[in-house]
């Protein structure tokens, strides 16, 4: 009798044999998909190919240890695993390779990611959560090497939270007593990345149920391990992480990637330890091969010598598995050849079906365009030119949408001065075409469900008649207290967040009240703080990840830009990570504590909200709003505002600052001044001084940069004042240019201006240290006053003579 490694139940020899043959079938299917996939790229049907050949057998062993509720955070070689857990078919494999824009055909991303990037669906069509414990889960991959690591940490930490935190017992669609394991995969060369090391260290500290699988084929593209890793051996240099009877750490397991029996045992052991003990494990899978090289962009014969290539052919994991199957009498050579022949046919059939499904809608669209172009040609004096475009399109038997759209748009140029029914029909068709087709490539950057952030209605702070003036940080603290009391799934964590209640006391006493798991300190490791938040958010928790200062967000920017903000987009709305990132910034002292990298953040973080409250009441209102929605956001509190006095609201936790809505905080008639955050206080002071010389400025707080002024209220102010100055402490051309573009171009504000619209930004360098450094590096009250006066002087030099 044999034991089924997945269920621990005894199997008869025939049942065990059937399981072995099924594994062999999956391994050969995956390999054939890789081989045929490469040919599809080289013939031009697909753009790029990166495949899982050489990793088939360890991934079959992994799949046996992977249970419902578990999560994968992997790298783009894991196709065999996805096939083994029933989440990837042959046709879906090729649909992803072709970039099919249908979620039914390519459920991984609907053509938004390259092949080899795998995701399961966490959400229903209406954006609500599925029961994640009843399915095997894969978080959506990203291409940046080791970029999957920080998220893996959070996916694993969620199990620890669900197991140990009271109040989450009703979250049964996310966890079953924290028994889920988060499995990560990475190529051996990518273990050189800092994100790998940061995550490995953090997981060891946190002791979370994480299994890290390193696929080691000795190369990183063409670069050998001797140039990648000390001692050419990742498990050797990680020995210090091995747990002992005295010290917590990792269980480290080393196994050869061609040994089926040892692989099954290794993955079962790692999974059991992680699942039952919540101890992280690392499986170093050695002696793997990469039969087709790194990708379709090159051949490995260019950098592997003859001896290495011979060894790879002999120790190909599929070859070794085949030998083992025959040696142990599970099948004969003839029986395996019959299986292989049938699989080759199945893969060709699946490939053909995927290509036909990919082409069918485009061929229909092309035929519609050809018919309309033919009609247009017959009605136009420019028939010859239009027919040339039509014939070129008709000659494409396998048309792409860019050819269709390009041809129609070029044809319309020839009939600009004509009026005909045929022209109108073609115009209507191409406009409708873009309405239908563009969302296939552009939808779901933000939530399109009824729980999106911009649909959350404003609730203003309410004040008692005897409302006390308190430090702004007290409002934040008491509001966080209310949040933690109302939302048991909310956790706040970051550097110095726990014991001292953050460096500005916005969480004072809350760890003592709610415990170390809900308000917790972390190490100095910004990327994995973000990763903790992403992973836990993907599993139904509501984390608030604190990055101590805005300047330090640069450590985590790659994770935010490549992973967090693209989760919803790259899965076409099938996954989400509603993480709130809390930080503080703007004006203080010194190069490294007063940065305002807003322009960079605005452009790199499309897909999350960037909120810039001017005081702590506004900030607290943003947190309250965000917890009513399911979208990620970055909230930047004013670093120099924690000790400024504000009135204490009576409705803590209930008032909500609207997202994408500006606020006019001083009305005026002569010029519109637009700003945000700490600089707004300087603008307000300058507006008072301008009033003394007869200039009545209107002052507007944009409140949020992403999105910016959804109601187009800024242009309404320009209509009244006819002049505009945008003030910002970012470098020139940063956030101020973005705001100006929104007003002048998007809102057509240019037509209401009597003077040149201008910006006033910081100097193009980091601020020098000290009070004087701030004054001479960023806009001052005098700078604002003089810039406004200069604009008014130009319009009315008699009443406002030159100042200096």
């Amino acid at each position: 009798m044999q034991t089924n490694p997945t269920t621990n139940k005894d199997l008869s020899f025939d049942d065990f044999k059937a399981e072995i043959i099924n594994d062999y079938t999956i391994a050969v299917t995956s390999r054939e998909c890789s081989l045929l996939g490469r040919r599809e790229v080289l013939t031009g049907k697909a753009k790029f190919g990166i495949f899982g050949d050489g990793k088939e057998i360890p991934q079959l062993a992994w799949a046996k240890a992977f249970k419902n509720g578990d999560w994968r955070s992997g790298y783009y070689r894991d196709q065999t695993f996805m096939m083994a857990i029933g989440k990837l078919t042959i046709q879906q494999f090729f649909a992803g390779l072709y970039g099919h824009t249908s979620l039914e055909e390519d459920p991984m991303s609907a053509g938004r990611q390259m092949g080899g990037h795998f995701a399961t669906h966490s959400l229903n069509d209406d954006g609500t959560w599925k029961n994640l414990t009843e399915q095997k889960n894969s978080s959506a991959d990203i291409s940046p090497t080791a970029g999957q690591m920080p998220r893996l940490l959070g996916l694993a930490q969620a199990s620890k939270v669900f197991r140990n935190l009271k109040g989450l017992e009703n979250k049964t669609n996310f966890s079953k007593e924290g028994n889920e394991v988060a499995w990560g995969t990475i190529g051996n060369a990518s273990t050189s990345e800092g994100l790998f090391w940061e995550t490995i260290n953090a997981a060891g500290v946190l002791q979370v149920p994480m299994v890290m699988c390193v696929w080691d084929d000795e190369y990183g593209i063409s670069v050998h391990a001797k140039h990648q890793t000390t001692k050419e051996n990742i498990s050797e240099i990680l020995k210090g992480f091995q747990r002992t009877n005295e010290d917590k750490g990792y269980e480290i397991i080393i196994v050869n990637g061609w040994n089926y029996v040892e692989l099954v045992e290794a993955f079962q052991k790692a999974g059991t330890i992680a699942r039952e003990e919540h101890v992280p494990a690392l499986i170093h899978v050695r002696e793997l091969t990469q039969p087709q090289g790194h990708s379709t962009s090159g051949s490995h014969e260019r950098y592997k010598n003859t001896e290495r290539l011979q060894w790879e052919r002999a120790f190909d994991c599929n070859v070794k598995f085949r030998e083992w199957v025959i040696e142990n009498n599970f099948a004969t050579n003839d029986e395996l050849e019959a299986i292989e022949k049938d699989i080759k046919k199945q893969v060709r059939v699946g490939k053909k079906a995927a290509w036909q499904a990919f082409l069918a809608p485009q061929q229909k669209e092309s035929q519609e365009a050809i018919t309309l172009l033919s009609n247009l040609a017959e009605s136009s004096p420019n028939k010859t030119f239009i027919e040339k475009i039509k014939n070129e399109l008709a000659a494409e038997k396998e048309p792409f949408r860019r050819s269709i759209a390009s041809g129609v748009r070029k044809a319309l140029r020839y009939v600009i001065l004509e009026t005909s029914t045929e022209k109108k029909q073609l115009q209507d068709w191409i406009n409708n075409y873009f309405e239908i087709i563009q969302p296939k490539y552009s939808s779901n950057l933000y939530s399109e469900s009824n729980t999106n952030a911009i649909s959350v209605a404003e609730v203003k702070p309410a004040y008692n008649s005897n409302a006390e003036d308190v430090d702004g940080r007290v409002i934040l603290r008491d509001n966080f207290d209310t949040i933690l009391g109302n939302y048991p799934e909310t956790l706040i964590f970051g550097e110095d967040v726990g014991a001292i209640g953050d460096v500005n006391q916005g969480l004072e006493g809350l760890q003592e009240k709610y415990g170390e798991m809900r308000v917790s300190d972390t190490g100095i490791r910004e990327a994995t703080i973000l990763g903790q938040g992403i992973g836990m958010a993907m599993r139904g928790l509501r984390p608030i990840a604190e990055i101590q200062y805005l300047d330090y967000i640069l450590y985590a920017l790659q994770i935010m830009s490549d992973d967090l903000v693209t989760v919803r987009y790259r899965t076409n709305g099938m996954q989400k990570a509603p993480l709130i990132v809390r930080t503080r910034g703007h004006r203080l002292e010194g190069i490294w504590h007063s940065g305002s990298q807003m322009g960079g953040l605005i452009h790199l973080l499309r897909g999350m909200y960037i909120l810039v409250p001017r005081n702590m009441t506004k900030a607290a209102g943003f947190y309250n709003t965000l917890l009513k929605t399911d979208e990620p956001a970055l909230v930047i509190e004013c670093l120099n505002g924690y000790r400024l006095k504000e009135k204490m609201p009576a409705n803590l936790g209930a008032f909500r600052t609207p997202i994408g809505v500006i606020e006019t905080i001083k009305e005026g008639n002569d010029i519109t001044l637009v700003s945000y955050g700490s600089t707004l206080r300087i603008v307000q002071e300058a507006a008072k001084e301008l009033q003394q010389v007869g200039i009545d400025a209107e002052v507007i707080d944009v409140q949020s940069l992403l999105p910016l002024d959804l109601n187009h209220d800024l242009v309404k102010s320009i209509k009244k004042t006819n002049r505009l100055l945008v003030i910002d402490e970012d470098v020139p051309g940063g956030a101020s240019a973005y705001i100006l573009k929104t007003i002048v171009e998007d809102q057509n504000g240019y037509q209401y201006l009597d003077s040149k619209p201008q910006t006033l930004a910081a100097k193009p360098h980091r601020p020098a240290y000290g009070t004087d450094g701030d004054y001479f590096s960023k806009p001052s009250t005098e700078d604002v006053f003089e810039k406004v006066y200069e604009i008014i002087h130009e319009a009315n030099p008699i009443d406002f003579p030159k100042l200096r």
Side-chain angles (χ1 to χ4, degrees):
M1 300 289 287
Q2 301 286 339
T3 300
N4 184 322
T6 304
T7 64
N8 293 320
K9 294 180 180 178
D10 289 338
L11 292 175
S12 67
F13 178 80
D14 287 342
D15 289 339
F16 187 59
K17 174 182 175 180
E19 184 170 328
I20 296 299
I21 297 304
N22 183 62
D23 282 351
Y24 185 74
T25 300
I26 295 170
V28 175
T29 300
S30 180
R31 178 64 62 87
E32 287 299 319
C33 284
S34 295
L35 296 173
L36 190 53
R38 181 181 179 87
R39 288 199 287 272
E40 290 299 278
V41 175
L42 297 179
T43 59
K45 288 184 177 179
K47 301 297 291 184
F48 182 76
I50 192 160
F51 304 109
D53 46 304
K55 316 295 188 293
E56 291 91 349
I57 306 308
Q59 290 182 24
L60 289 168
W62 169 26
K64 293 179 186 300
F66 196 91
K67 299 183 183 299
N68 281 350
D70 284 3
W71 280 82
R72 168 190 169 274
S73 182
Y75 106 121
Y76 36 76
R77 304 286 186 190
D78 295 344
Q79 71 195 46
T80 308
F81 169 78
M82 295 299 290
M83 290 177 174
I85 65 171
K87 296 293 185 180
L88 180 66
T89 67
I90 295 170
Q91 188 167 335
Q92 289 168 347
F93 171 88
F94 285 100
L97 193 64
Y98 301 140
H100 201 304
T101 57
S102 162
L103 268 175
E104 288 71 29
E105 297 293 333
D106 173 23
M108 305 302 152
S109 74
R112 295 187 176 184
Q113 297 230 71
M114 293 188 299
H117 293 68
F118 304 114
T120 52
H121 294 190
S122 300
L123 307 179
N124 298 304
D125 291 341
D126 63 357
T128 57
W129 293 103
K130 291 177 177 287
N131 189 327
L132 303 182
T133 68
E134 295 180 348
Q135 64 181 41
K136 294 177 172 64
N137 303 285
S138 173
S139 58
D141 294 333
I142 57 176
S143 285
T145 55
Q148 72 274 28
M149 293 293 297
R151 178 201 333 136
L152 172 65
L153 176 66
L155 292 168
Q157 187 181 7
S159 290
K160 184 172 184 177
V161 172
F162 282 120
R163 178 174 288 184
N164 295 286
L165 188 60
K166 293 181 179 179
L168 300 178
E169 294 80 8
N170 65 333
K171 299 287 184 179
T172 54
N173 57 330
F174 298 110
S175 178
K176 291 185 177 179
E177 299 179 341
N179 291 327
E180 303 78 25
V181 174
W183 303 77
T185 63
I186 196 168
N188 62 297
S190 295
T191 63
S192 301
E193 294 276 13
L195 293 175
F196 174 84
W197 290 95
E198 187 172 322
T199 303
I200 290 294
N201 180 60
V205 171
L206 291 171
Q207 289 291 284
V208 292
M210 179 183 101
V211 179
M212 188 66 236
C213 316
V214 180
W215 307 141
D216 189 351
D217 56 30
E218 292 193 16
Y219 285 85
I221 308 183
S222 66
V223 180
H224 191 268
K226 65 184 179 183
H227 302 296
Q228 307 272 4
T229 310
T230 302
K231 300 183 179 181
E232 300 180 31
N233 190 326
I234 189 63
S235 57
E236 177 68 21
I237 59 177
L238 284 173
K239 277 185 176 178
F241 285 82
Q242 174 66 51
R243 63 175 178 161
T244 66
N245 292 333
E246 295 78 29
D247 298 312
K248 295 179 180 179
Y250 276 75
E251 185 67 23
I252 298 177
I253 301 168
I254 304 167
V255 61
N256 288 329
W258 47 264
N259 192 316
Y260 177 80
V261 174
E262 291 183 3
L263 284 163
V264 172
E265 292 174 351
F267 278 91
Q268 290 295 322
K269 178 182 178 181
T272 299
I273 290 171
R275 197 178 309 280
E276 296 179 0
E277 302 178 46
H278 275 198
V279 169
L282 182 134
I283 305 176
H284 184 188
V285 184
R286 305 195 65 191
E287 297 195 2
L288 286 170
T289 67
Q290 204 154 271
Q292 298 187 109
H294 173 265
S295 68
T296 53
S297 62
S299 171
H300 64 155
E301 286 83 4
R302 293 162 53 200
Y303 51 86
K304 292 177 183 174
N305 61 33
T306 302
E307 291 74 21
R308 173 68 192 188
L309 292 170
Q310 288 176 343
W311 180 89
E312 289 199 6
R313 285 190 288 272
F315 281 84
D316 182 308
C317 64
N318 281 16
V319 170
K320 299 294 284 184
F321 186 38
R322 192 182 196 280
E323 293 172 356
W324 180 84
V325 169
I326 295 173
E327 289 170 2
N328 287 274
N329 298 316
F330 292 115
T332 66
N333 182 68
D334 289 345
E335 288 171 335
L336 294 184
E337 284 185 349
I339 291 172
E340 292 156 5
K341 182 178 179 181
D342 181 61
I343 289 170
K344 285 179 181 290
K345 180 180 178 181
Q346 290 182 40
V347 172
R348 287 195 300 270
V349 169
K351 184 268 297 185
K352 183 178 180 181
W355 182 244
Q356 289 175 338
F358 172 74
L359 275 182
Q362 293 164 199
Q363 289 173 326
K364 180 177 180 293
E365 294 156 15
S366 178
Q367 190 55 55
E368 290 174 358
I370 289 168
T371 300
L372 292 170
L373 287 168
S374 181
N375 295 341
L376 182 66
E378 292 300 321
S379 69
S380 173
N382 289 301
K383 177 179 179 179
T384 302
F385 301 105
I386 298 170
E387 280 196 331
K388 181 176 183 295
I389 293 172
K390 180 200 73 172
N391 293 335
E392 289 173 349
L393 185 56
E396 293 192 24
K397 302 305 180 185
E398 297 176 341
F400 287 91
R401 287 185 168 124
R402 65 180 182 185
S403 300
I404 301 168
S406 175
V408 171
R409 295 165 82 180
K410 287 179 178 177
L412 286 170
R413 299 175 190 172
Y414 290 107
V415 293
I416 290 174
L417 301 179
E418 299 176 24
T419 302
S420 68
T421 301
E422 291 78 10
K423 173 185 174 181
K424 181 67 166 55
Q425 288 174 339
L426 190 60
Q427 287 175 325
D428 290 344
W429 186 89
I430 190 63
N431 291 334
N432 184 61
Y433 189 67
F434 271 91
E435 287 181 11
I436 295 171
I437 300 302
Q438 189 66 55
K440 294 179 183 295
Y441 303 93
S442 302
S443 63
N444 286 303
L445 180 60
Y446 294 91
S447 174
E448 296 176 10
S449 73
N450 57 11
T451 56
N452 65 65
I454 60 176
S455 67
V456 178
E458 179 181 14
V459 177
K460 293 184 179 297
Y463 297 96
N464 295 326
S465 58
N466 59 345
E468 183 182 1
D469 286 326
V470 298
D471 288 348
R473 63 105 189 167
V474 175
I475 295 172
L476 269 181
R477 180 198 66 191
D478 291 359
N479 195 74
F480 279 132
D481 188 3
T482 304
I483 286 173
L484 290 165
N486 291 341
Y487 297 91
E489 66 273 24
T490 297
L491 308 94
I492 308 177
F493 50 90
E495 297 163 18
D496 299 300
V497 160
I500 68 170
D502 88 39
V503 290
N504 294 101
Q505 299 288 279
L507 297 163
E508 179 189 22
L510 297 186
Q511 184 184 79
E512 183 178 358
K513 183 173 181 178
Y514 293 100
E516 292 187 14
M517 187 159 285
R518 295 199 65 196
V519 183
S520 54
D521 289 312
T522 68
I524 300 177
R525 45 174 182 79
E526 284 78 9
T528 46
I529 291 172
L530 255 294
Q532 287 176 252
I534 295 170
M536 286 194 283
M538 295 182 86
R539 292 194 58 189
L541 297 170
R542 292 308 310 265
I544 300 175
E546 178 173 313
I547 301 299
Q548 195 166 82
Y549 295 106
L550 180 61
D551 302 78
Y552 302 165
I553 216 156
L554 297 181
Y555 282 103
L557 188 56
Q558 187 261 323
I559 297 303
M560 295 175 73
S561 181
D562 287 331
D563 196 353
L564 177 59
V565 304
T566 67
V567 167
R568 193 183 295 269
Y569 173 78
R570 72 180 189 268
T571 61
N572 205 355
M574 290 296 104
Q575 290 186 359
K576 61 183 177 182
L579 168 63
I580 300 171
V581 183
R582 179 195 182 207
T583 191
R584 52 190 65 83
H586 307 310
R587 313 176 79 106
L588 192 65
E589 277 88 23
I591 293 178
W592 313 119
H593 292 83
S594 53
S596 294
Q597 306 89 351
M598 305 310 298
L601 297 179
I602 290 166
H603 296 299
L604 292 170
L605 299 182
R606 301 297 171 96
M608 72 185 298
Y609 295 121
I610 298 181
L611 311 177
V612 283
R614 68 177 181 270
N615 59 38
M616 301 310 152
T617 302
K618 291 289 185 179
F622 276 135
Y623 294 119
N624 297 338
T625 297
L626 291 168
L627 287 167
K628 293 293 183 183
T629 184
D630 63 351
E631 299 189 78
L634 170 65
V635 182
I636 303 168
E637 299 165 9
C638 293
L639 184 53
N640 56 4
Y642 294 106
R643 301 291 176 182
L644 298 180
K645 299 298 182 183
E646 301 177 38
K647 288 196 177 297
M648 173 63 78
N651 55 341
L652 291 169
F655 62 88
R656 302 172 198 154
T657 308
I659 291 176
V661 178
I662 69 165
E663 182 178 356
T664 301
I665 55 178
K666 178 190 175 299
E667 293 192 358
N669 296 302
D670 295 332
I671 190 171
T672 299
L673 307 181
V674 180
S675 192
Y676 62 88
S678 293
T679 300
L680 201 61
R681 288 193 287 275
I682 289 172
V683 175
Q684 288 178 279
E685 181 60 34
K688 292 179 183 177
E689 296 178 3
L690 287 164
Q691 194 85 48
Q692 296 170 5
V693 297
I695 299 174
D696 186 16
E698 183 147 298
V699 180
I700 294 177
D701 178 8
V702 300
Q703 300 198 101
S704 64
L705 290 169
L706 286 179
L708 175 61
D709 189 19
L710 293 174
N711 298 327
H712 286 202
D713 289 327
L714 287 166
V715 74
K716 296 172 186 175
S717 175
I718 309 303
K719 286 181 182 180
K720 180 173 62 171
T721 67
N722 308 119
R723 293 179 179 84
L724 170 66
L725 176 65
V726 180
I727 306 98
D728 178 37
E729 59 173 302
D730 195 4
V731 296
S736 57
Y738 160 77
I739 294 170
L740 185 63
K741 181 261 184 190
T742 300
I743 299 170
V744 174
E745 183 177 334
D746 299 347
Q747 299 184 10
N748 294 321
Y750 69 92
Q751 59 188 318
Y752 306 109
L753 290 167
D754 292 337
S755 298
K756 179 179 70 173
Q758 296 190 50
T759 63
L760 176 61
K763 298 295 187 290
H765 55 71
R766 297 290 182 99
Y769 175 65
T771 302
D772 287 342
D774 176 88
Y775 186 87
F776 288 99
S777 301
K778 294 187 175 184
S780 65
T781 304
E782 289 72 36
D783 291 332
V784 177
F785 181 99
E786 291 177 4
K787 174 64 77 170
V788 172
Y789 190 93
E790 177 186 317
I791 294 170
I792 301 299
H793 159 74
E794 183 183 39
N796 187 357
I798 296 176
D799 292 339
F800 298 94
K802 189 173 180 63
L803 188 62
R804 71 182 179 96

